[in-house]
Amino acid sequence: MACFVALLLALLGAASAAGQFHDLAATDDGSVLYFSSPLRQRGADQFPHDKIFRLGSDGIQLIAQREYQPTAGPNYSNFYRLIESNVSGDGAILSYVAQRDCIGGSSCLFVERNETTLVRPPQGSPVTTFTGRGWLSRNGRYALNFGFVVLRLAATLIDLSTGERIPVPSSGAFVTGRQILTSDGAVLLLDPQAMLLWTRTGGTRRIPAAAAPQSAAINDQGTWLVYETQVTSELRSVDLASGRDTLLATGSPDPYQPFLRNDGRVVSYLASPDRVAPKQVFVINSDGTGRRQLTQLAEGASEAVLSGDGSVAYAVSGAGRLLRIDVAAGAAQEIIPRTPVIHYVAGAPVPGSLNWIYGTGLSEKSALGQPPLPTSLGDLQVTLGGAPLPLLLVSPGEIRYQIPFEAPLTDAVLAVSPSASPFEQAPMHLSLSAQMARTVQFGREVPLIPGATTLDVVAHQNFDSLVDSSNEAQPGEIVHAYMTGLGAVNPPVATGQPSPANPPASVVGPFACGYLYEGASFPARLWFAGLAAGMIGIYQVSVQVPDLPRPLTTDPTRAIVDFQCGQGAPGDSSFLVPVRLAPAPGPVPVPPRARSTPRAR
């Protein structure tokens, strides 16, 4: 048992997700930055979806937000999620894209999902609005509109000084990247094999690519472009005067997110220093010389942008930090510190149970709690309704905590603290129940094992290994499933302490298991339901694998048994057990009499 407990605990790992701030856009001198975030300013009553913020010498300001209206149309919401900010070099004009949801199935293919708004910040006086995605030139004169026109995608160049709208030939081409529009109105498009540069006076120029491009960017003056290749994972530059194509970086499995200085001679991008370590921010000259690494972030960088004059770079880290970097000196200043964000919780909101929080920026470093579990670990606390919770593990991407056995059955706010960030997540609520059986699974509570999408954590009878498709259970074997949410036990176990082996702590009240097999439901023999010995907040349910008739499949030696367990009757939670049926010369065993009403998983 002790060996298996160690194995199970070793398998419980961390998770990661996207950054808290995104779609950065800086002015030419880098004095003002715009960005999008679903977070709210601490203590403010702001909507819990993407909004546009401004960061300047006067601090952080909310520039735009929209309330979500789920039924603004017959199959779609209003344009409410604000992303993809663009700002002119002098900061006089800001554009951003608003997205809406569509639930109309295939009809959504022909519904425009984006709307672009141009305003004059910081007051937000309107310039224009159009449906579709939009890009803004650095001088603020031109906007590019790409969206549906009569059931087809079309690109239109808008001269904001005159209102003239000029169709851009884009049949078979697509638009991608942050810098695709120059200050004289040239537009950079892509097709599957090349870059296409359209100008108002010279038509379309085809620029060959070394390999199929997946994104591209052009500088403000239209003299340099950079592009990323799909299969070869390269970042390359093209001198548009000479046509010279230069390799800048190679080998990154993730997008480089290149950004060009206005004159095109310097490029910032993201890449791993050794293809294994977290991504960092680099700058390089467009001719391939002068490569420098600007950041040394333990959690890596998720996005970066370069000011128009190249003097300043802004970067977002994997922990939700926002950095301002002096490019010449390489010195970084933290503008927004680590910002904890919970992406989801796993387990069961039941007193006594171990639960999981997955997110980003949760903690500065990892720490493991020892019994009795502390309510403060490393640099943080987790509170439920303001009360601190016992902590088994904290790390930047994962927290494991126990809900106290004595916690009241009520709705309460779950929070991670402290944080010095001026941003916070909208409150997350847990509604506690007396019992809510949930199976611990690979791919959710436990990191995914190779070849599995989700797999219930079930041990063999002797606790020497896990049951899976290559190590099946045998008929008659007692297997042990690991669960949360089974509630109170007898004898009682103190919060934060491991469960004893003798006497074992059994679930209080009725608890039963059954199984589904070949479309019918049968009672299962339950040997034990209670806290797993030596563990904290993890329950063990031990059931006997029945003798089974041969399944109606191409392989009569293999079967899947769907066990279902719950309070008073089977059904609250289920776990799958693969079974190996040894060939037998004698009569096939007959299962117990089936219930009249099969119960679906």
Side-chain angles (χ1 to χ4, degrees):
M1 177 65 176
C3 292
F4 178 72
V5 170
L7 170 66
L8 181 61
L9 290 177
L11 286 169
L12 301 180
S16 62
Q20 289 87 322
F21 311 107
H22 57 93
D23 293 348
L24 311 181
T27 55
D28 277 349
D29 62 2
S31 62
V32 176
L33 177 76
Y34 291 90
F35 59 89
S36 180
S37 178
L39 304 181
R40 64 184 189 182
Q41 291 173 283
R42 188 168 296 278
D45 184 17
Q46 296 169 352
F47 299 131
H49 45 261
D50 283 319
K51 304 166 285 294
I52 302 297
F53 292 93
R54 178 185 184 274
L55 170 65
S57 59
D58 52 352
I60 299 172
Q61 298 173 302
L62 174 67
I63 294 297
Q65 68 169 342
R66 295 183 186 176
E67 186 174 7
Y68 173 53
Q69 299 173 9
T71 56
N75 296 317
Y76 44 82
S77 71
N78 63 318
F79 297 102
Y80 73 98
R81 191 185 303 111
L82 307 185
I83 58 172
E84 297 183 8
S85 53
N86 278 270
V87 65
S88 60
D90 60 4
I93 299 180
L94 169 71
S95 75
Y96 53 84
V97 174
Q99 290 187 329
R100 65 179 174 184
D101 301 329
C102 182
I103 55 173
S106 59
S107 65
C108 292
L109 296 173
F110 307 101
V111 172
E112 179 57 64
R113 305 282 290 274
N114 303 292
E115 179 186 80
T116 298
T117 297
L118 281 73
V119 298
R120 299 187 185 279
Q123 294 80 11
S125 54
V127 176
T128 187
T129 297
F130 50 81
T131 57
R133 293 177 66 193
W135 287 260
L136 183 67
S137 64
R138 293 296 290 181
N139 61 1
R141 176 175 175 178
Y142 295 101
L144 180 70
N145 174 209
F146 190 74
F148 277 108
V149 176
V150 194
L151 300 184
R152 67 181 181 89
L153 286 170
T156 303
L157 181 70
I158 304 172
D159 187 334
L160 298 175
S161 64
T162 64
E164 182 184 10
R165 299 174 67 91
I166 308 165
V168 178
S170 58
S171 177
F174 57 97
V175 177
T176 182
R178 295 180 289 178
Q179 294 174 293
I180 62 169
L181 184 60
T182 70
S183 283
D184 61 0
V187 179
L188 181 64
L189 306 169
L190 294 182
D191 73 11
Q193 299 299 325
M195 287 75 67
L196 308 175
L197 183 59
W198 176 85
T199 62
R200 298 183 61 181
T201 57
T204 300
R205 173 184 172 185
R206 186 177 180 84
I207 304 164
Q214 66 176 356
S215 71
I218 190 168
N219 72 307
D220 174 60
Q221 298 169 12
T223 54
W224 287 87
L225 68 79
V226 293
Y227 67 98
E228 301 178 68
T229 61
Q230 295 182 27
V231 178
T232 56
S233 299
E234 295 176 342
L235 177 64
R236 308 186 69 93
S237 67
V238 178
D239 181 343
L240 291 173
S242 66
R244 185 177 67 252
D245 189 309
T246 302
L247 176 66
L248 302 182
T250 187
S252 175
D254 301 314
Y256 290 97
Q257 302 182 39
F259 206 91
L260 285 151
R261 196 169 72 183
N262 282 354
D263 64 7
R265 296 190 177 276
V266 175
V267 183
S268 67
Y269 66 94
L270 300 185
S272 169
D274 56 11
R275 303 186 185 181
V276 177
K279 294 185 297 183
Q280 304 295 337
V281 182
F282 291 84
V283 290
I284 191 170
N285 295 331
S286 299
D287 61 6
T289 64
R291 179 178 182 267
R292 289 191 295 133
Q293 182 175 332
L294 293 184
T295 61
Q296 300 280 349
L297 296 164
E299 68 269 32
S302 61
E303 186 175 337
V305 70
L306 199 60
S307 65
D309 62 10
S311 64
V312 175
Y314 287 94
V316 179
S317 83
R321 307 176 199 272
L322 181 63
L323 307 177
R324 187 181 191 274
I325 305 167
D326 183 318
V327 174
Q333 176 189 4
E334 186 178 79
I335 304 298
I336 298 177
R338 176 178 60 85
T339 308
V341 167
I342 299 172
H343 294 298
Y344 72 92
V345 296
V350 174
S353 286
L354 189 71
N355 278 249
W356 290 257
I357 292 173
Y358 291 109
T360 53
L362 299 177
S363 174
E364 287 287 349
K365 52 189 175 182
S366 299
L368 185 65
Q370 300 296 328
L373 296 183
T375 55
S376 180
L377 188 59
D379 59 343
L380 64 78
Q381 283 190 328
V382 177
T383 58
L384 185 63
L389 302 176
L391 301 174
L392 177 62
L393 177 142
V394 299
S395 70
E398 178 191 358
I399 298 172
R400 301 175 211 160
Y401 65 95
Q402 185 186 22
I403 299 176
F405 280 102
E406 56 274 17
L409 302 182
T410 185
D411 182 271
V413 173
L414 181 70
V416 177
S417 64
S419 171
S421 174
F423 285 85
E424 64 180 0
Q425 191 174 22
M428 177 171 288
H429 292 259
L430 288 185
S431 296
L432 270 59
S433 302
Q435 191 179 69
M436 188 185 296
R438 292 289 183 269
T439 307
V440 175
Q441 289 186 322
F442 290 102
R444 186 162 176 82
E445 292 86 1
V446 183
L448 199 63
I449 63 174
T453 51
T454 59
L455 182 66
D456 302 309
V457 180
V458 181
H460 279 284
Q461 181 165 314
N462 294 329
F463 299 99
D464 55 356
S465 61
L466 295 172
V467 177
D468 60 32
S469 58
S470 62
N471 189 14
E472 302 101 324
Q474 304 292 324
E477 181 182 1
I478 297 171
V479 296
H480 316 282
Y482 287 84
M483 306 181 78
T484 59
L486 273 61
V489 294
N490 185 39
V493 176
T495 294
Q497 292 282 11
S499 180
N502 189 19
S506 300
V507 171
V508 173
F511 190 85
C513 292
Y515 68 93
L516 292 176
Y517 185 69
E518 295 289 292
S521 180
F522 308 96
R525 185 170 184 182
L526 176 65
W527 286 83
F528 175 73
L531 284 171
M535 290 183 161
I536 299 175
I538 296 292
Y539 294 79
Q540 174 189 321
V541 174
S542 302
V543 293
Q544 188 165 15
V545 178
D547 289 331
L548 299 168
R550 295 288 181 256
L552 301 176
T553 65
T554 56
D555 186 352
T557 66
R558 297 174 183 267
I560 298 291
V561 179
D562 184 354
F563 284 98
Q564 300 191 334
C565 301
Q567 186 176 23
D572 287 352
S573 184
S574 66
F575 54 94
L576 299 177
V577 176
V579 179
R580 168 70 73 168
L581 303 177
V588 176
V590 178
R593 185 177 179 182
R595 297 194 184 111
S596 58
T597 305
R599 189 180 295 270
R601 175 177 168 84

